[in-house]
């Protein structure tokens, strides 16, 4: 089982949580992870643009 021990997974329906608080905490973890990925993407994009401009 992944994640918090109180999470239960129902096939095709995603995890079920023991409380609304646990559900919100899991959503926040997921959103933080996505935010980190987007930050890394933006950083790579900025570097690529700067590299292209320096080669002109």
């Amino acid at each position: 089982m992944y994640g918090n021990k109180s999470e239960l997974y129902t096939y095709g329906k995603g995890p079920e949580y023991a409380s609304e608080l646990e559900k919100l905490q899991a959503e926040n973890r997921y959103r933080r992870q996505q935010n980190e990925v987007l930050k890394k993407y933006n950083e790579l994009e900025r570097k690529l643009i700067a590299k292209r401009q320096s080669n002109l």
Side-chain angles (χ1 to χ4, degrees), residues 11-26:
Y11 182 75
K13 297 194 182 231
E16 294 180 9
Y17 300 94
S19 70
E20 185 68 19
L21 177 61
E22 289 178 3
K23 179 181 177 185
L24 292 173
Q25 289 171 335

Side-chain angles (χ1 to χ4, degrees), residues 31-53:
R31 295 194 195 299
R32 274 199 245 39
Q33 289 173 347
Q34 286 206 323
N35 194 26
E36 289 302 313
V37 169
L38 290 172
K39 285 180 187 177
K40 289 178 184 179
Y41 175 84
N42 284 334
E43 180 182 344
L44 290 172
E45 186 178 42
R46 278 193 301 273
K47 287 180 181 180
L48 178 62
I49 290 169
K51 185 175 180 178
R52 283 183 180 170
Q53 289 175 347

